[in-house]
Amino acid sequence: MSMIQLHSVSKVYPPDYAGVKDVTFQVEAGEFLFLCGPSGAGKTTLLRLLFRSEQASEGQILVDGRNVTRLKGAGLAAYRRKLGLVFQDFKLIPHMTALENVSLAADVVGVPWRQSRRRGFRLLSELGLKDKYGVLPPALSGGEQQRVAIARALVNEPEIVLADEPTGNLDPERAAESLRLFARINEEGTTVLIATHDPRLLRSFDGRVLLMHQGRLLRREDLEPAASAT
Ligand SMILES: Nc1ncnc2c1ncn2[C@@H]1O[C@H](COP(=O)(O)OP(=O)(O)OP(=O)(O)O)[C@@H](O)[C@H]1O
Ligand SMILES: [Mg+2]
């Protein structure tokens, strides 16, 4: 069975704006794929539905056999622990250092303090932030904050990583470094789904790309004329 299955999923924002329309797709365990499309296409909405910070208006979402739309309370909390999320707007805690932001995510699921610090420090180092671990987010550049958010998403070795524009604030070199880190955790078995409107990220990527436009998932057939025109 596929790791992630969406069946005819729609999300209508009040009063009647469909952010996601009738989306169906599957993701296999261990896959690395991109979700692409212009601003407003519905990428963030789709990730929010998967994380269940938004509830689908219609359709079914199954992750690892669980019906995500029905989860609540402890079941929902347990489900979310399997996910690592990189938010488009980072959501770092401003009065905690970079390292504290990362290791807190491990502390709250019961990882011993020393171990959560060690893991956090290792990830920050891998992301080129070795010298910034004690700095508060407001004193970090946008790209540095983004890398702290990536480290936080990875600290609990989640089964699935959902990353929303994780390279949006990074220069090409840092973006490539972050992508290599995602690729490495993918090689270790993690399923990775990255949403982006940046086509540059796809240049050296030979995996599967899902394309969204105005809330809908485009099928291959929809793309062929455009592809042959270029
Ligand atoms: N809370 C909300 N209430 C109403 N409309 C919303 C809400 N969130 C998103 N939308 C609308 O749904 C559509 C899809 O938004 P979404 O944030 O998913 O796009 P996106 O593909 O992530 O875009 P971007 O590349 O700019 O991040 C947009 O037209 C947006 O205005
Ligand atoms: Mg978005």
Side-chain angles (χ1 to χ4, degrees):
M1 191 179 24
S2 303
M3 182 67 136
I4 300 175
Q5 296 178 271
L6 275 78
H7 297 289
S8 303
V9 171
S10 296
K11 172 66 188 178
V12 179
Y13 288 114
D16 61 357
Y17 186 81
V20 165
K21 286 179 211 163
D22 195 22
V23 165
T24 298
F25 68 88
Q26 284 93 41
V27 179
E28 303 309 318
E31 235 191 305
F32 187 149
L33 73 164
F34 277 95
L35 177 63
C36 289
S39 183
K43 304 178 298 295
T44 297
T45 302
L46 203 59
L47 295 186
R48 285 197 185 127
L49 293 173
L50 276 168
F51 189 64
R52 255 298 301 277
S53 51
E54 290 283 0
Q55 183 70 280
S57 313
E58 269 180 79
Q60 261 206 334
I61 302 177
L62 299 172
V63 177
D64 217 357
R66 273 164 303 212
N67 189 337
V68 171
T69 47
R70 297 229 183 98
L71 292 173
K72 50 187 174 211
L76 180 58
Y79 165 67
R80 284 187 176 148
R81 279 200 287 276
K82 293 181 184 290
L83 306 178
L85 218 72
V86 184
F87 297 93
Q88 192 163 11
D89 57 356
F90 318 142
K91 297 199 195 302
L92 299 176
I93 301 169
H95 60 272
M96 294 177 84
T97 66
L99 179 60
E100 285 165 348
N101 265 279
V102 176
S103 53
L104 176 69
D107 295 340
V108 298
V109 301
V111 175
W113 190 84
R114 271 169 169 281
Q115 201 182 329
S116 70
R117 299 282 139 153
R118 202 180 311 127
R119 279 197 213 169
F121 191 71
R122 199 194 62 214
L123 278 164
L124 288 173
S125 303
E126 283 176 332
L127 286 160
L129 291 175
K130 205 179 179 134
D131 302 328
K132 300 279 183 176
Y133 74 90
V135 177
L136 300 176
L140 294 170
S141 74
E144 288 165 349
Q145 293 180 41
Q146 188 147 43
R147 282 176 279 153
V148 175
I150 293 173
R152 181 184 55 190
L154 302 181
V155 74
N156 289 325
E157 296 169 351
E159 282 175 34
I160 302 173
V161 170
L162 305 173
D164 201 355
E165 304 288 355
T167 59
N169 291 274
L170 303 182
D171 58 54
E173 203 172 308
R174 293 298 186 195
E177 253 172 46
S178 302
L179 283 185
R180 277 197 292 276
L181 184 58
F182 284 118
R184 203 190 74 215
I185 62 150
N186 173 250
E187 275 161 24
E188 291 163 1
T190 308
T191 307
V192 179
L193 175 56
I194 298 182
T196 184
H197 52 224
D198 184 358
R200 287 176 307 175
L201 287 189
L202 304 176
R203 276 191 200 146
S204 58
F205 180 71
D206 56 7
R208 193 152 65 106
V209 178
L210 299 174
L211 271 165
M212 286 189 85
H213 185 66
Q214 297 183 346
R216 290 185 186 276
L217 205 62
L218 299 182
R219 293 163 307 156
R220 254 207 127 77
E221 303 89 274
D222 301 328
L223 303 173
E224 237 109 77
S228 60
T230 54

